[in-house]
């Protein structure tokens, strides 16, 4: 018998604060209608507080909603009149303030209104689930647990799932599957200990960093320069992360650690740092109040200077000699030299890593089942490239353990507690760390344990890897070049994966793709383009053609553009179904591949766009052609025998191309026309390949035949071209576009209108492809376009000229 699935037709979120509103937003992103509750407003509409919170979602950056119209699926409710509506929901997530007494009072109010099979979960960031469950009626305790999202919920991959004492084990499995597939999350089972896993380790790391900031006399901006990408962590580093999380929230988490961990050997560290307490006392709570450790004043980013009691312009940098140490390729050598260096920045870095390793090892048995759960929780919840145990293991397990033990003995570590015996135990030493091919080390079981075998993880062919574990099978290679690999997963669907930098598309990638299509037509049932890493692709490889541009080798470039068009048309008219599996950025030429494939399967966080105008060009890999054909088809579908003006459809596509609009999500890409209604959006990028292969096989099983070529395509012609030119004139006069943007826009308009022909003229795809390629080449010859390309290649930024 298959395991039962948790059916959630509608959900409720209790608490319309920053976190609660964003959880509601992500639920509707996933297609789950949601009731959002808060206290009745004291004046005006009783739902006023919640309505304000819903309206505020549209103003937040990064955007909690994948499209603004999703807000309509969140209904405003209040605890006064709307509690009976809880009978409509299957899942209730409580996200009110971290007060045990307030949460218990709320549970007493809501539980009489819940349907018999509803699940009640708390989004607590660290309160005891055992204590909370005591306030839940006996009959509901089996369906009560913790579901801890991280801020911002749409973008942070981690959700911690925490069992209360009587939580049904089957329910936890069903919730894990729902959170993984329907909401796109990485689920970690945490023990019911204060602050669970990620906050326990992550907040400790931040507190240790704050302690050593003062010890080594460093400024906050210097520390953020040291503790961000320079050591493989998020750009927000330490103090900016605190600002984003909210300084009041962080102070509460610290207080929870202080109050609930009296016997922790690091307890003295869990006092709220004076500077943090002072900021909270002043109401400077970070990003939500526009001031905390940092603030933005006009275009100036400023950092707090505690000695002066004021802010100053950010100027912190990594010292050159420390930057050189951080460039060392060998982690073992790097850590040894950081520890040996006399530079205060190097000593600071060794100290924060030493104390992180020490604390993580000491607490492993208490907070988590195994070391993998700790590492993934920190990576997914705090944006680090490697977790603490991975970092330690990469630097040499035994040597680093010896360094830590020496510092403990010398009184340099933050606590005197010795490393646990398992750190130097025979199993860990033999494996040279806590991650091995057999799995991750469990301190409780004193064995290496494999990953979860829940059925939902069969959908993840390549889960996030952890250093040292057995890698997932890389499939069987059909052929491979420097540009791409064509392979399969022991089935009849071929997979193309680019190998170029940022998966850009050059002549060599086109040759490989055409060869893969030929091979797939002969021997396979379908073909999927899927990348082993983000982005999907940043489009055409401009760097590769830059020498030809400089040498004015126009015929050679024209041949490459023609091959690009041919490749896109092969994706459209191949005898086997073609699928693009998209995640991350998919720009320019790669967007044109998506437009031409039979199906796109896109992760929610896919950012798709035709951005060629930014470098003074237009889409010439079939993108303009495809939008003209789609506009004609939309006219035909809507006509029903009546005359319909084609221009509104063309105008919409023109504005999308002319403004280089990039979709803010896969669902936004559907609204913009980059994705079709039939294209599939998946919430979890780790399931992308599984779904894409399934789509290709489904099309093949249905007896796939390619679509018939588009002939007799009506175009807007000279009339439409004149109208779009007037639109460009207004944009130029209004200062929205430059004089050269106007010239580029005119050529885009000419192509989208089918050239300067009579309105309603019938053309075919070849006509449109020739037209877009001709206009592309004319733009490429212009010195302003060449200046834009050179500037973008040099700086990575667009040039307005």
């Amino acid at each position: 018998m298959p395991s039962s699935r948790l059916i959630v037709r509608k959900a409720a979120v209790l608490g319309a604060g920053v976190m609660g509103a964003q959880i509601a937003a992500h639920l509707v992103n996933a297609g789950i209608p949601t009731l959002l509750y808060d206290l009745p407003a004291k004046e005006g509409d009783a739902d006023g507080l919640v309505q304000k919170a819903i309206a505020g979602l549209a103003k937040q950056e990064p955007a909690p909603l994948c499209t603004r119209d999703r807000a309509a699926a969140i209904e405003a409710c209040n605890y006064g009149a709307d509690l009976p509506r809880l009978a409509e929901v299957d899942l209730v997530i409580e996200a009110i303030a971290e007060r045990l007494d307030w949460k218990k009072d709320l549970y007493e109010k809501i539980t009489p209104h819940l349907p018999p099979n509803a699940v009640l979960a708390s989004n607590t960031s660290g309160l005891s689930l055992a204590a909370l469950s005591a306030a839940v009626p006996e009959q509901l305790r089996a369906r009560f647990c913790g579901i801890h999202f991280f801020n911002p919920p749409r973008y942070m991959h981690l959700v911690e799932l925490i069992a209360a004492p009587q939580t049904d084990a089957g329910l936890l499995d069903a919730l894990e599957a729902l959170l993984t597939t329907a909401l796109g999350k990485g689920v970690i089972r945490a023990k019911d200990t204060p602050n669970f896993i990620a906050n326990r380790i992550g907040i400790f790391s931040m507190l240790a960093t704050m302690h050593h900031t003062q010890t080594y006399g460093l400024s906050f901006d210097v520390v953020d320069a040291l503790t961000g990408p320079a050591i493989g962590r998020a750009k927000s580093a330490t103090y900016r992360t605190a600002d984003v999380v909210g300084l009041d929230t962080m102070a509460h988490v610290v207080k929870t650690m202080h109050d609930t961990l009296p016997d922790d050997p690091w307890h003295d560290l869990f006092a709220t740092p004076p500077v943090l307490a002072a900021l909270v006392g002043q109401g400077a709570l970070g990003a939500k109040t526009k001031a905390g450790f940092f603030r933005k004043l006009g275009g100036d980013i400023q950092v707090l200077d505690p000695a002066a009691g004021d802010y100053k312009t950010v100027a912190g940098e990594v010292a050159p000699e420390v930057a050189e140490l951080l460039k060392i390729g060998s982690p073992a050598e790097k850590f040894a030299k950081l520890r040996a260096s006399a530079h205060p920045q190097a000593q600071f870095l060794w100290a924060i890593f030493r104390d992180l390793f020490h604390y993580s090892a000491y607490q492993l048995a208490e907070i988590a089942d195994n070391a993998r759960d700790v590492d993934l929780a920190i990576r997914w919840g705090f944006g680090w490239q490697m977790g603490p145990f991975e970092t330690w293991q990469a630097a040499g397990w035994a040597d680093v353990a010896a360094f830590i033990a020496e510092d403990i003995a010398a009184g340099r570590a933050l606590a005197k507690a010795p490393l646990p015996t398992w750190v130097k135990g025979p199993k860990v030493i033999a494996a040279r760390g806590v991650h091995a091919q057999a799995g991750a080390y469990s301190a409780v079981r004193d064995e290496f344990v494999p990953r979860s075998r829940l059925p939902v993880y069969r959908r993840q062919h390549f889960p996030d890897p952890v250093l040292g574990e057995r890698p997932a099978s890389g499939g069987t290679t059909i052929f491979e070049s420097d540009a791409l690999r064509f392979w399969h997963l022991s089935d009849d669907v071929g997979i193309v994966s680019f190998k170029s930098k940022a998966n850009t598309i050059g002549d060599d990638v086109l040759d490989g793709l055409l060869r893969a299509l030929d091979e797939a037509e002969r021997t396979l049932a379908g073909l999927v383009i899927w990348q082993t890493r983000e982005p999907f692709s940043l489009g055409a490889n401009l760097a590769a053609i830059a020498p030809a541009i400089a040498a004015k080798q126009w015929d050679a470039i024209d041949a490459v553009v023609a091959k690009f068009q041919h490749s896109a048309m092969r994706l459209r008219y191949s005898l086997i179904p073609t699928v693009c599996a998209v995640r991350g950025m998919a720009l320019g030429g790669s967007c044109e591949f998506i437009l031409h494939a039979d199906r796109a399967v896109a992760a929610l966080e896919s950012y798709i766009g035709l951005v060629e105008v930014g470098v003074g060009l237009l889409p010439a890999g079939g993108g303009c052609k495809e939008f003209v054909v789609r506009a004609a088809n939309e006219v035909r579908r809507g006509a029903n025998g009546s005359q319909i003006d084609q221009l509104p459809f063309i105008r919409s596509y023109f504005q999308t191309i002319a403004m280089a609009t990039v979709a803010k999500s896969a669902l936004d890409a559907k609204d913009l026309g980059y994705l079709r209604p039939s294209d599939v959006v998946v919430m979890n990028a780790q399931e992308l390949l599984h779904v894409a292969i399934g789509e290709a096989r489904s099309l093949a099983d249905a007896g796939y035949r390619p679509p018939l070529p588009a002939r007799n395509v009506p175009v807007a012609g000279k009339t439409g071209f004149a109208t779009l030119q007037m639109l460009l004139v207004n944009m130029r006069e209004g200062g929205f576009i430059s004089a050269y943007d106007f010239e580029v826009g005119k050529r885009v308009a000419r192509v989208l209108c089918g050239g300067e022909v009579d309105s309603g003229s019938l053309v075919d795809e070849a006509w449109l492809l020739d037209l877009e390629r001709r206009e592309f080449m004319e733009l490429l010859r212009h010195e302003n376009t060449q200046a834009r390309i050179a500037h973008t290649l040099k700086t990575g930024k667009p040039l307005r000229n």
Side-chain angles (χ1 to χ4, degrees):
M1 286 288 290
S3 58
S4 61
R5 186 172 55 148
L6 182 65
I7 296 173
V8 178
R9 293 184 175 87
K10 184 182 288 188
V13 176
L14 310 179
V18 172
M19 199 65 183
Q22 290 196 68
I23 292 171
H26 195 58
L27 287 167
V28 299
N29 286 341
I32 301 173
T34 300
L35 308 180
L36 180 59
Y37 281 80
D38 213 307
L39 295 167
K42 294 179 180 178
E43 298 178 356
D45 191 326
D47 293 331
L49 292 175
V50 181
Q51 289 169 351
K52 182 178 179 181
I54 295 171
L57 291 171
K59 304 172 186 175
Q60 293 182 32
E61 288 293 338
L65 294 163
C66 59
T67 59
R68 289 196 174 193
D69 60 2
R70 291 266 155 168
I74 306 174
E75 293 187 67
C77 297
N78 67 79
Y79 301 132
D82 298 318
L83 287 179
R85 292 202 61 190
L86 289 171
E88 304 170 18
V89 307
D90 306 295
L91 172 65
V92 178
I93 299 175
E94 168 269 304
I96 68 170
E98 291 287 80
R99 284 274 301 270
L100 190 62
D101 53 340
W102 291 1
K103 291 178 186 287
K104 288 182 175 182
D105 287 345
L106 183 58
Y107 295 168
E108 291 176 4
K109 286 181 181 178
I110 66 167
T111 49
H113 302 280
L114 296 179
N117 294 318
V119 175
L120 174 61
S122 176
N123 182 57
T124 178
S125 58
L127 295 181
S128 164
L129 268 296
L132 288 172
S133 68
V136 174
E138 181 69 31
Q139 67 273 19
L140 182 56
R141 290 177 186 171
R143 301 191 309 283
F144 176 76
C145 65
I147 297 178
H148 180 213
F149 290 86
F150 278 68
N151 190 21
R154 171 182 165 185
Y155 302 96
M156 298 308 293
H157 191 53
L158 177 63
V159 167
E160 290 175 317
L161 186 60
I162 312 101
Q166 293 174 247
T167 307
D168 180 76
L171 172 70
L172 291 172
D173 291 347
L175 275 169
E176 185 165 350
L178 176 84
L179 291 164
T180 300
T181 294
L183 269 69
K185 295 303 170 188
V187 178
I188 296 294
R189 301 277 186 106
K191 296 183 180 182
D192 186 14
T193 57
N195 292 342
F196 312 128
I197 297 175
N199 275 343
R200 182 74 171 270
I201 299 299
I203 296 297
F204 170 84
S205 179
M206 293 177 75
L207 289 171
T209 299
M210 291 178 178
H211 174 88
H212 291 303
T213 298
Q214 185 174 4
T215 300
Y216 291 97
L218 304 178
S219 63
F220 301 138
D221 53 342
V222 166
V223 169
D224 271 15
L226 287 165
T227 59
I231 58 171
R233 297 184 184 177
K235 289 181 180 179
S236 56
T238 299
Y239 291 100
R240 280 188 178 88
T241 294
D243 278 351
V244 170
V245 169
L247 302 188
D248 54 338
T249 300
M250 182 173 176
H252 176 80
V253 174
V254 173
K255 185 176 185 302
T256 299
M257 295 175 77
H258 184 272
D259 293 346
T260 58
L261 298 168
D263 299 324
D264 191 303
W266 286 261
H267 185 260
D268 289 347
L269 189 67
F270 303 155
T272 304
V275 64
L276 177 60
L279 286 168
V280 173
Q282 296 164 15
L285 306 180
K288 57 188 172 186
T289 61
K290 304 189 185 308
F293 288 107
F294 293 88
R295 74 176 183 185
K296 188 173 183 181
L297 194 64
D300 189 27
I301 304 296
Q302 298 185 326
V303 61
L304 180 67
D305 180 354
D310 202 352
Y311 290 84
K312 63 180 182 180
T313 299
V314 167
E317 295 180 345
V318 179
E321 53 265 55
V322 176
E324 288 303 310
L325 294 180
L326 292 175
K327 290 178 183 177
I328 295 172
S330 164
E333 181 184 354
K334 181 189 306 181
F335 273 90
K337 288 189 174 180
L338 284 172
R339 183 171 185 258
S341 172
H343 196 287
Q345 289 188 10
Q347 286 292 294
F348 164 83
L349 286 172
W350 164 249
I352 66 170
F353 275 112
R354 174 200 64 215
D355 294 324
L356 170 66
F357 299 158
H358 187 188
Y359 191 76
S360 299
Y362 190 89
Q363 302 296 352
L364 175 60
E366 179 187 350
I367 66 174
D369 176 69
N370 59 74
R372 178 180 51 247
D373 287 350
V374 173
D375 281 340
L376 290 178
I378 289 295
R379 281 165 47 179
W380 294 343
F382 282 77
W384 296 7
Q385 291 179 8
M386 297 176 71
F389 290 118
E390 289 178 290
T391 307
W392 180 352
Q393 184 163 330
W397 186 268
D399 288 344
V400 171
F403 291 159
I404 296 170
E406 286 177 20
D407 281 9
I408 294 170
R412 290 188 290 267
L414 285 178
K416 297 178 181 178
L419 286 168
T421 56
W422 64 259
V423 168
K424 296 182 180 180
K427 293 182 179 179
V428 171
I429 293 299
R432 298 182 179 179
V434 292
H435 299 299
Q437 292 201 358
Y441 183 73
S442 170
V444 172
R445 291 183 260 177
D446 189 30
E447 62 183 8
F448 286 81
V449 297
R451 288 182 180 247
S452 170
R453 292 190 173 91
L454 285 178
V456 68
Y457 294 114
R458 297 173 195 160
R459 299 169 58 86
Q460 298 185 13
H461 295 299
F462 298 94
D464 273 352
V466 173
L467 178 81
E469 73 175 350
R470 179 185 291 111
S473 170
T476 301
T477 299
I478 300 171
F479 72 80
E480 188 168 6
S481 68
D482 291 339
L484 60 72
R485 179 185 178 220
F486 186 42
W487 55 288
H488 65 83
L489 284 170
S490 302
D491 56 22
D492 55 358
V493 175
I495 303 164
V496 171
S497 299
F498 302 168
K499 295 168 58 181
S500 51
K501 183 179 180 180
N503 296 322
T504 50
I505 304 165
D507 196 40
D508 50 356
V509 170
L510 296 175
D511 287 340
L513 178 59
L514 291 169
R515 179 183 169 188
L517 284 163
D518 289 340
E519 181 71 23
E521 284 186 332
R522 286 194 299 269
T523 62
L524 298 170
L527 180 144
V528 170
I529 300 177
W530 175 84
Q531 315 298 9
T532 59
R533 64 193 184 283
E534 292 187 21
F536 178 72
S537 170
L538 295 189
N541 187 348
L542 290 175
I545 64 169
I549 296 172
K552 297 183 171 22
Q553 296 173 343
W554 307 124
D555 289 345
I557 297 172
D558 184 79
V560 173
V561 178
K563 186 186 291 185
F564 213 120
Q565 292 179 332
H566 176 59
S567 300
M569 295 296 278
R570 283 294 310 278
L571 286 171
R572 166 61 50 83
Y573 295 115
S574 174
L575 294 175
I576 45 95
T578 58
V579 178
C580 284
V582 186
R583 57 177 170 170
M585 303 294 286
L587 305 179
S590 68
C591 175
E592 293 173 293
F593 281 178
I594 294 166
L595 291 172
H596 284 84
D598 293 300
R599 189 80 80 243
V601 176
L604 180 72
E605 301 309 331
S606 295
Y607 310 107
I608 305 171
L610 294 171
V611 297
E612 287 85 350
V613 297
V615 289
L617 295 169
L618 56 75
C624 290
K625 177 273 302 178
E626 186 61 19
F627 273 177
V628 176
V629 173
R630 290 188 183 189
N633 290 336
E634 286 162 355
V635 170
R636 291 191 186 103
R637 281 195 295 270
N640 292 324
S642 60
Q643 186 69 30
I644 289 184
D645 185 8
Q646 185 179 7
L647 195 57
F649 300 99
I650 290 293
R651 183 188 294 116
S652 175
Y653 288 133
F654 169 73
Q655 289 174 323
T656 297
I657 293 176
M659 300 304 292
T661 305
V662 176
K664 295 179 180 178
S665 69
L667 292 172
D668 189 36
K670 286 197 171 192
D671 291 344
L672 291 168
Y674 293 133
L675 297 180
R676 298 153 292 197
S678 59
D679 290 330
V680 179
V681 176
V682 299
M683 296 296 289
N684 195 323
Q686 298 296 327
E687 299 182 351
L688 190 64
L689 182 58
H690 169 83
V691 177
I693 291 172
E695 287 291 314
R697 186 171 291 112
S698 176
L699 289 168
D701 288 347
Y704 175 83
R705 291 293 301 174
L708 296 173
R711 306 183 191 281
N712 298 323
V713 179
V715 293
K718 289 180 284 189
T719 303
F721 183 41
T723 302
L724 294 183
Q725 282 192 90
M726 286 305 301
L727 180 62
L728 284 168
V729 168
N730 291 336
M731 293 171 72
R732 183 184 61 191
E733 297 305 313
F736 297 105
I737 61 174
S738 69
Y740 192 59
D741 289 332
F742 179 84
E743 294 302 318
V744 176
K746 274 203 318 184
R747 293 184 183 274
V748 173
R750 185 180 288 116
V751 175
L752 291 180
C753 292
E756 296 183 52
V757 298
D758 291 337
S759 178
S761 295
L762 300 179
V763 303
D764 61 12
E765 289 179 294
W767 169 278
L768 294 167
L769 289 170
D770 287 344
L771 180 60
E772 71 175 20
R773 190 172 74 254
R774 186 165 61 249
E775 295 291 349
F776 176 94
M777 292 303 301
E778 286 298 318
L779 286 169
L780 192 59
R781 289 182 173 92
H782 199 287
E783 62 181 5
N784 283 353
T785 288
Q786 293 174 26
R788 288 188 177 192
I789 292 172
H791 184 270
T792 299
L793 290 175
K794 182 178 180 180
T795 69
K797 298 177 181 179
L799 172 68
R800 294 291 299 278
N801 57 1

